[in-house]
Each structure stands twice: as C-alpha cells, then as structure tokens.
Amino acid sequence: MPHARFVVALSSFALLGLLMAGSLAAAQRTPMLHGMVKDDTGGALVGVTIELDAGPGRTYTIQTDGTGHYAFLDVVPGLYTVSFTL
C-alpha cells in the first residue's frame, strides 16, 4: 500500500497549497482612504462632504455616515487634494 499512502500525502499537500493560496489572496488589501471626521470636542460629524480630487475629470465625493466615518475604496496611488465641507 505504499502507493495509497503517497496519493493521500500528495492530496493533502495539494489541499494545503490551495488553502495557502486562498489565505494569500485574502491577505491582499484594497487600496483605500478612510477616516472619521470629528469636531473640537471629539464628537462625530455626520453628513460632512469629502471631496477627493486627483485632477481634471477625476473627482470623487462622498459624505460621512451616521458615525462620522467615510471611506473611498479602490484608490489608485497618487497625489490628491482632499477637502471637507460641513
């Protein structure tokens, strides 16, 4: 039965490789810009408009949520101007 043990060992090794590949893929992060907008007392500011300007035709706008948080997803590395409007 040496052949059967080799097949089981090879199958286990292949499964381990697939699991590791999935873990590596999950470890990659989506580039993003995120944060929380607070007032002078540390309280969250809701509904603040945040504009991310990357040049002509590349302006993205969002608002803070009910807890003052915001997130721009899939942000390409580069230079940006960020503005906040209450």
Side-chain angles (χ1 to χ4, degrees), residues 42-64:
L45 290 176
V46 178
V48 174
T49 300
I50 300 115
E51 184 177 273
L52 185 64
D53 186 354
R58 295 178 36 208
T59 301
Y60 311 96
T61 304
I62 59 173
Q63 288 189 328
T64 56

Side-chain angles (χ1 to χ4, degrees), residues 1 10 20 26 30 37 41 48-49 51-53 56 71-72 75 77 83:
M1 287 253 204
L10 185 58
M20 288 178 62
T30 302
V37 181
T41 66
V48 174
T49 300
E51 184 177 273
L52 185 64
D53 186 354
F72 290 96
V75 177
S83 60

Side-chain angles (χ1 to χ4, degrees), residues 3 18 21 30 36 38 40 43 48 55 58 61 72 82 84 86:
H3 179 68
L18 288 174
T30 302
M36 180 179 184
K38 300 178 182 181
D40 292 340
V48 174
R58 295 178 36 208
T61 304
F72 290 96
V82 182
F84 300 83
L86 183 59

